[in-house]
Amino acid sequence: MAHLDDPAWVVQDEHDVRPYVVTGGRTRPRHAMRLVSLLAAGDALPAEPLAPEAEQALRLCRGGQRSVAEIAATIGQPAQVTKIILSDLIDCGALIIAVPDTASGDPASDPDNGTQLLESLLAGLHTHFSGVA
């Protein structure tokens, strides 16, 4: 039995509840995305204040196209939660799903090209973890 002096809410509980709050209890994004889907900043600005995770994701995409996996790793949220956050940003026009130009015949522009994908992922991981001591 808990004592009256024990805190009813501990910091550990925040990690369990936060994703639920960020997504508004939703479990599925409105837009279909894979972990390798690339997103870029759109032209519109959100009308409402954003959650810190959404602000961070939008800031990251303003620097160039980013994959869902890279965004999830950077904002520290599970992939499914990240997809819901990104879907909301797509709905308000702040993000767009980037479609590579495959008409150019450039194999590097094909998102299913395994080598290019792995190189991009490796570069993203190096960037993300370069500041971690």
Side-chain angles (χ1 to χ4, degrees), residues 109-123:
S109 67
D110 184 1
D112 293 323
N113 184 329
T115 305
Q116 189 266 338
L117 173 64
L118 291 175
E119 287 174 359
S120 296
L121 181 60
L122 182 59

Side-chain angles (χ1 to χ4, degrees), residues 43-68:
D43 295 331
L45 295 174
E48 300 176 7
L50 297 174
E53 296 86 356
E55 281 184 27
Q56 191 176 9
L58 184 55
R59 215 175 18 255
L60 185 64
C61 291
R62 284 188 180 137
Q65 294 180 1
R66 301 286 190 246
S67 71
V68 173

